[in-house]
Amino acid sequence: MAKPLSTQNTSLTQRQRFALISLALLILITFCMGLWQLSRAHNKQLLIDQLAEQEALPPLIWQSGTLPLYRPVRLVGSWLHSAELLLDHRIENGQIGYQVITPFQLKNGDILLVNRGWWPDSHPPQASSSNIVSAQPWPRFFELGHTMPSGNIFQNINPERFATWAKQPKPQAYALMQQGENGLIAAHSQPIIPPERHLAYTATWWAMTLAGAFLWFRFKKELKLQPIRSQTLNREAH
């Protein structure tokens, strides 16, 4: 049995109201996501500025203890050339090569791993007397499974892997060479995702916000016109 006309109209109005509220919530969510990405871009730029300020400071002489993050330090100790390793499949200017990781032993016996930079083949030049570095957080990486090293070539490295492979104490820190030497291209401490990427995400979210707002007003306008159209059709029918 068919529903009365008044019941059908009430049910339709409820569905329309639900659609308008749902679309408004989506608009609000996309707008907030854009604000979140904008704040992340701002925070990343602040971090980059702070890193630049730290790296511009004169280096400290460092013989022992925990290295300050990002502050240039001049290490006092010796390179452990025999425990040098390479990180495979690192790309620089579109070319595949290696990052050269050479351990350095401080005067008190602590070891840190120094990323001396990028080199195109598996035979990089030996570390020279240059020993100005900046300590970094340990690199993060994702692996589906642990890949065994081939000689001194690794896919990724952490303190435990180095200690097991080199039969040395676990390194206390990870650092980047401040300047490339003997042709190596030095790595620099930068956020994984630059501010520009977050700004692009912001633009994408806010484009969705504008599209949603256009659809909301268009839908709202159509709902207002429906009763007028219904009345016109009824008059023509009679």
Side-chain angles (χ1 to χ4, degrees):
M1 182 176 178
K3 293 182 179 180
L5 183 59
S6 60
T7 305
Q8 292 178 1
N9 289 340
T10 302
S11 177
L12 181 62
T13 302
Q14 290 174 350
R15 288 199 298 268
Q16 291 169 343
R17 186 180 298 112
F18 177 76
L20 282 172
I21 293 173
S22 298
L23 186 54
L25 286 174
L26 287 174
I27 293 169
L28 179 61
I29 290 171
T30 56
F31 180 75
C32 291
M33 291 297 292
L35 284 178
W36 176 58
Q37 289 293 341
L38 188 63
S39 69
R40 295 196 69 190
H42 176 69
N43 292 336
K44 288 291 178 66
Q45 188 59 55
L46 287 178
L47 176 60
I48 290 174
D49 294 341
Q50 290 172 1
L51 293 179
E53 290 178 3
Q54 286 288 323
E55 291 176 351
L57 294 173
L60 301 171
I61 305 299
W62 210 262
Q63 301 186 61
S64 62
T66 303
L67 273 70
L69 283 178
Y70 308 118
R71 175 68 191 265
V73 297
R74 186 183 299 276
L75 303 177
V76 178
S78 58
W79 294 103
L80 302 179
H81 299 291
S82 61
E84 183 173 271
L85 60 94
L86 306 175
L87 298 181
D88 195 7
H89 205 81
R90 298 312 195 257
I91 298 175
E92 182 71 31
N93 294 327
Q95 184 178 354
I96 297 176
Y98 303 86
Q99 284 184 354
V100 183
I101 310 295
T102 307
F104 191 95
Q105 190 166 40
L106 298 173
K107 282 289 187 180
N108 68 343
D110 285 348
I111 291 176
L112 59 147
L113 297 186
V114 178
N115 185 330
R116 293 170 50 220
W118 182 89
W119 188 255
D121 59 45
S122 59
H123 302 287
Q126 199 172 67
S128 65
S129 58
S130 176
N131 54 2
I132 299 177
V133 305
S134 61
Q136 309 287 315
W138 281 96
R140 293 181 295 177
F141 56 86
F142 174 78
E143 291 179 329
L144 294 177
H146 175 50
T147 303
M148 297 298 294
S150 175
N152 70 331
I153 298 176
F154 287 72
Q155 295 299 317
N156 296 292
I157 195 66
N158 60 28
E160 292 76 17
R161 287 185 186 179
F162 172 80
T164 301
W165 172 78
K167 296 179 175 54
Q168 294 281 353
K170 189 161 63 173
Q172 301 301 308
Y174 172 81
L176 300 180
M177 186 74 77
Q178 282 290 96
Q179 294 183 343
E181 54 170 7
N182 300 327
L184 277 84
I185 300 176
H188 295 284
S189 51
Q190 294 288 343
I192 296 175
I193 300 180
E196 293 78 13
R197 183 85 61 83
H198 291 293
L199 292 176
Y201 292 155
T202 299
T204 301
W205 282 114
W206 283 354
M208 295 170 65
T209 301
L210 290 175
F214 172 78
L215 292 174
W216 191 92
F217 284 108
R218 182 73 178 270
F219 188 33
K220 183 73 172 176
K221 184 179 179 181
E222 289 294 325
L223 293 181
K224 289 181 178 180
L225 292 175
Q226 276 187 0
I228 300 174
R229 290 172 180 167
S230 297
Q231 291 176 3
T232 302
L233 290 174
N234 288 334
R235 291 195 193 100
E236 292 176 352
H238 293 292

